């Protein structure tokens, strides 16, 4: 029985003790016994709700999601966690013996060992690449062409695993159902966007074509090897050649006009001297 004015250490609902575990990327795990107070249970629910409703714990496929959106979500989660700690105050970070954990310890480890290393390295890198995007370029396609995009996705996946381990512990303490792995299938991804078609040309446009060919303007050039090009070549040959009755082409030569008193060029002499 507690003395008058003393806040109870354990709440009347939820487990009185859980084994908390938090995965730290490239370091290991933080494991300990957590005996949550009422204020810690409330704070655990608030942070769990924030994790479950963000892209921070949802995996990003290769052609799905935006890296900038994922980093922005993690950055806002940083501020949200600090706000929860500030709102509930010392009640969520009581002194505990070694080997025990509190909400305050788990929250600060998440901020300083999970989120901060990722944001301080990759936020400026992505921002520097985004600053070079040419005007009029699609930002999503430009981001996916980034040479470091795959590495950032890998880092985000490692961070997601750490946040999911924290979310499972918070779910136990808040004694709520699973709000992350919902029993509802994910909707299929929409098809990729197609390039917009050019607007139709007016009937009197010089470049508009109909069944009879171009109307006005310069005719389009013939493409070498096309049907029109081969037909033009045949017409050109027929202008300089006559078709032999047997089907073999014969050269048609026009004789040069004769000049009076002058022997035609190339004529054979009669053998008499001049």
């Amino acid at each position: 029985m507690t003395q008058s004015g003393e806040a109870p250490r354990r709440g009347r609902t939820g487990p009185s003790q859980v084994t908390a575990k938090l995965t730290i990327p490239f370091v290991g795990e933080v494991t300990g016994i957590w005996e949550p107070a009422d204020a810690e249970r409330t704070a655990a629910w608030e942070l769990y709700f924030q994790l479950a409703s963000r892209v921070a714990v949802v995996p990003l496929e290769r052609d799905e999601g935006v890296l900038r959106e994922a980093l922005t979500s993690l950055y806002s989660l940083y501020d949200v966690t600090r706000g929860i700690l500030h709102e509930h105050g010392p009640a969520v970070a009581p002194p505990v013996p070694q080997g025990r954990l509190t909400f305050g310890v788990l929250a600060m480890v998440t901020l300083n060992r999970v989120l901060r290393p990722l944001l301080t390295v990759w936020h400026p890198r992505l921002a520097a690449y985004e600053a070079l995007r040419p005007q009029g370029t699609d930002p999503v396609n430009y981001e996916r062409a980034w040479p470091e995009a795959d590495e950032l996705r890998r880092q985000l996946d490692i961070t997601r695993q750490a946040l999911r381990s924290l979310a499972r512990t918070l779910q136990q303490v808040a004694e709520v159902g699973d709000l992350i792995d919902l029993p509802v299938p994910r909707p299929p991804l929409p098809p990729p966007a197609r390039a917009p078609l050019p607007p139709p040309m007016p009937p009197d446009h010089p470049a508009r074509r109909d069944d009879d060919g171009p109307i006005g303007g310069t005719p389009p050039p013939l493409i070498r090897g096309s049907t029109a090009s081969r037909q033009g070549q045949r017409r050109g040959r027929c202008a300089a050649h006559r078709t032999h009755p047997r089907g073999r082409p014969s050269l048609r030569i026009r004789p040069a006009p004769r000049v009076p008193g002058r022997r035609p060029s190339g004529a054979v002499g009669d053998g008499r001297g001049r």
Side-chain angles (χ1 to χ4, degrees), residues 13 27-28 35 57 91 93 122 140 148 152 166 182 189 193 197 243 274:
T13 60
V27 175
E35 296 181 351
V57 297
W122 289 100
V140 176
E148 297 187 89
L152 177 52
L166 172 64
L182 301 175
L189 295 177
L197 297 176
T243 304
R274 294 183 180 179

Side-chain angles (χ1 to χ4, degrees), residues 71-89:
L71 287 181
T72 301
S73 178
L74 292 176
Y75 190 86
S76 61
L77 180 63
Y78 195 97
D79 290 338
V80 166
T81 305
R82 294 179 59 185
I84 294 175
L85 289 170
H86 182 268
E87 177 184 357
H88 294 280

Side-chain angles (χ1 to χ4, degrees), residues 32-116:
I33 301 301
W34 182 8
E35 296 181 351
D38 287 344
E40 291 177 281
R41 297 183 193 279
T42 304
W45 158 248
E46 294 177 3
L47 186 54
Y48 177 70
F49 167 74
Q50 292 292 335
L51 290 172
S53 59
R54 294 173 181 268
V55 298
V57 297
V58 178
L60 287 178
E61 301 297 336
R62 179 62 183 86
D63 297 328
E64 180 185 10
V66 182
L67 297 176
R68 168 54 61 194
E69 181 184 359
L71 287 181
T72 301
S73 178
L74 292 176
Y75 190 86
S76 61
L77 180 63
Y78 195 97
D79 290 338
V80 166
T81 305
R82 294 179 59 185
I84 294 175
L85 289 170
H86 182 268
E87 177 184 357
H88 294 280
V92 297
V96 291
Q98 187 176 3
R100 299 298 178 100
L101 297 175
T102 64
F103 178 87
V105 171
L106 292 174
M108 293 305 298
V109 170
T110 301
L111 294 181
N112 295 328
R113 298 292 185 268
V114 178
L115 297 181
R116 186 190 296 274

